[in-house]
């Protein structure tokens, strides 16, 4: 997937920093070693000089075999002595060699001219961070989700609010525990303040802990970003949000229906939801709107997609934020 230019620049800077830090750190260790063991520096020079003489002997082509044998023996002896000196000082080769963040590409970001997996992971991480900066992913857990705020009085012969919420809480916990790139979609409905965002974020933290790329935001945040990119023609900002929304492992679209209403945004949101259904990528949507209101705001096709491909979780109860504020339980 493509990222904004800024994301590539940030990744490049991070790789450079990692590489230079590893090299500098190794050089410092080596200098410290030479300071206490001057012989080691002389031996290291002998290793380098026997290696370069061997190369020259091959180029000259005269008496190659005899010269090479001698040089090879000298080189191996010097290497043996160097290891010995290291051991005497309680060191190993790893202590004086650069310890790269990624051994495959030695923090250059490329292996055999192809982008290394660490580089791709870094680009993704930076892109997620940039997007989540708009809507900070505050940590919520299942443990601090309290059922005591929900009434246990039966409602018209149906299960009580608390029972309903216990069912949803358990469902979400299971969803988080077993989360994978092929998990299903969830649709949280219900009034404001019933814990929809809380449970979305608890699932998000669990998925992030498992190493998945999670994008969380309110529909309004995404709408603003999409609108901005629509009119920004500069390379720096174009195209980022839509790609991330389509491509991330888990998308959490909070407060659907509260975004600025425009045919462009509505089309984009429908597009993202549809694309993710086709790619079988998990999405969690929450909304305060009823199905009828959603149908009015988007369209019938949208609602039927959601009904067909999402597990609906109807949150119930009274606004728990208000209850918390006034100390009623
Ligand atoms: Zn790498």
């Amino acid at each position: 997937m493509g990222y904004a230019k800024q994301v590539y620049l940030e990744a490049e800077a991070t790789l450079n920093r990692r590489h230079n830090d590893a090299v500098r750190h190794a050089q410092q260790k080596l200098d410290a070693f030479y300071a206490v063991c001057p012989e080691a520096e002389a031996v290291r020079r002998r290793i380098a000089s026997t290696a370069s003489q061997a190369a020259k002997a091959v180029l000259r082509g005269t008496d190659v075999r005899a010269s090479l044998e001698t040089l090879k023996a000298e080189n191996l002896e010097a290497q043996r002595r160097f290891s010995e000196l290291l051991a005497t000082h309680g060191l190993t080769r790893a202590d004086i060699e650069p310890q790269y963040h990624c051994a495959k590409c030695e923090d250059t970001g490329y292996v055999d001219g192809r982008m290394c997996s660490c580089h791709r992971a870094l680009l993704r991480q930076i892109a997620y961070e940039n997007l989540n900066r708009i809507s900070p992913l505050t940590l919520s857990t299942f443990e601090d989700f309290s059922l005591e705020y929900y009434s246990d009085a039966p409602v018209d012969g149906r299960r009580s609010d608390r029972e309903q919420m216990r069912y949803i809480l358990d469902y979400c916990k299971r969803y988080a525990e077993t989360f994978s790139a092929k998990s299903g979609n969830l649709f949280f409905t219900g009034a404001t303040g019933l814990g929809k965002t809380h449970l979305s974020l608890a699932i998000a933290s669990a998925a992030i802990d498992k190493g998945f790329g999670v994008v969380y935001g309110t529909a309004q945040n995404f709408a603003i970003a999409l609108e901005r990119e629509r009119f920004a023609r500069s390379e720096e900002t174009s195209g980022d949000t839509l790609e991330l929304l389509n491509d991330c492992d888990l998308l959490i679209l909070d407060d659907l229906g509260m975004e600025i209403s425009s045919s462009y945004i509505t089309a984009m949101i429908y597009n993202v939801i549809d694309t993710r259904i086709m790619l079988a990528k998990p999405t969690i949507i929450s909304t305060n709107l009823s199905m009828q209101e959603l149908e009015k705001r988007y369209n019938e096709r949208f609602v039927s997609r959601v009904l067909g491909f999402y597990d609906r979780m109807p949150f119930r109860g009274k606004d728990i934020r208000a209850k918390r504020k006034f100390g009623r339980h």
Side-chain angles (χ1 to χ4, degrees):
M1 72 188 273
Y3 297 103
K5 197 174 164 191
Q6 185 56 32
V7 174
Y8 287 102
L9 292 176
E10 277 183 56
E12 208 176 294
T14 301
L15 286 167
N16 273 334
R17 199 188 56 243
R18 284 177 183 172
H19 182 87
N20 294 341
D21 282 353
V23 170
R24 197 180 51 244
H25 194 65
Q27 189 58 49
Q28 281 165 357
K29 299 272 273 200
L30 196 60
D31 288 345
F33 177 46
Y34 290 161
V36 295
C37 178
E39 189 196 340
E41 195 169 6
V43 173
R44 200 73 196 261
R45 270 202 298 272
R46 210 158 74 225
I47 295 171
S49 105
T50 46
S52 76
Q53 283 179 56
K56 281 180 198 151
V58 170
L59 284 178
R60 272 201 310 273
T62 49
D63 198 15
V64 173
R65 187 170 295 173
S67 316
L68 276 182
E69 287 304 316
T70 321
L71 288 167
K72 201 174 158 191
E74 271 179 46
N75 182 283
L76 289 177
E77 166 56 22
Q79 295 216 35
R80 192 199 54 77
R81 179 62 184 151
F82 191 78
S83 299
E84 200 172 68
L85 291 169
L86 276 173
T88 319
H89 290 82
L91 296 168
T92 64
R93 239 161 230 284
D95 291 322
I96 50 142
E97 268 158 19
Q99 296 304 299
Y100 295 108
H101 204 272
C102 172
K104 271 193 291 182
C105 69
E106 302 195 334
D107 299 342
T108 60
Y110 292 91
V111 181
D112 301 329
R114 299 186 63 185
M115 192 180 277
C116 182
S117 56
C118 76
H119 194 167
R120 276 199 301 276
L122 188 61
L123 287 169
R124 217 160 77 125
Q125 186 200 330
I126 293 169
Y128 287 133
E129 281 168 5
N130 287 353
L131 194 69
N132 281 325
R133 212 172 285 153
I134 310 169
S135 42
L137 203 61
T138 36
L139 205 70
S140 290
T141 63
F142 290 115
E143 286 65 40
D144 56 28
F145 189 88
S146 173
L147 289 169
E148 65 180 300
Y149 296 112
Y150 301 88
S151 159
D152 58 359
V155 188
D156 304 332
R158 295 183 298 165
R159 52 174 111 169
S160 70
D161 290 352
R162 189 176 298 172
E163 276 173 89
Q164 169 70 3
M165 291 311 297
R166 179 173 291 123
Y167 163 77
I168 290 179
L169 175 62
D170 289 345
Y171 194 99
C172 290
K173 271 189 194 166
R174 255 199 329 278
Y175 182 89
E177 278 161 17
T178 58
F179 183 81
S180 79
K182 293 286 165 218
S183 285
N185 306 307
L186 301 180
F187 199 76
F188 293 167
T189 59
T192 308
L194 296 181
K196 298 191 297 294
T197 301
H198 187 128
L199 289 185
S200 308
L201 288 175
I203 292 172
S205 333
I208 288 170
D209 284 346
K210 289 182 172 202
F212 289 102
V214 178
V215 170
Y216 165 83
T218 62
Q220 171 67 351
N221 287 147
F222 293 142
I224 290 168
L226 288 168
E227 277 289 357
R228 203 179 44 221
E229 286 169 18
R230 181 188 183 190
F231 297 108
R233 287 283 169 262
S234 72
E235 263 183 272
E236 279 71 24
T237 52
S238 64
D240 235 9
T241 304
L242 189 60
E243 295 226 39
L244 273 180
L245 294 182
N246 283 333
D247 202 65
C248 61
D249 297 323
L250 173 61
L251 171 65
I252 299 178
L253 189 58
D254 210 356
D255 258 344
L256 182 72
M258 293 297 115
E259 72 280 4
I260 36 171
S261 186
S262 79
S263 53
Y264 176 73
I265 291 302
T266 302
M268 292 301 258
I269 287 178
Y270 183 81
N271 202 302
V272 167
I273 291 171
D274 211 38
T275 302
R276 293 185 65 85
I277 287 173
M278 286 192 289
L279 296 172
K281 280 173 175 279
T283 308
I284 298 174
I285 297 176
S286 74
T287 184
N288 302 334
L289 302 184
S290 67
M291 289 321 240
Q292 290 76 8
E293 286 167 322
L294 284 170
E295 210 167 281
K296 222 154 92 192
R297 191 180 162 114
Y298 304 96
N299 55 44
E300 242 175 85
R301 203 163 130 242
F302 175 87
V303 172
S304 74
R305 284 303 252 174
V306 165
L307 288 177
F309 290 91
Y310 283 67
D311 289 334
R312 275 178 70 192
M313 301 283 133
F315 283 55
R316 293 214 315 246
K318 306 266 183 315
D319 189 337
I320 57 162
R321 289 181 302 191
K323 285 192 182 181
R324 270 187 181 149
K325 208 151 115 194
F326 300 111
R328 286 187 284 132
H329 291 269

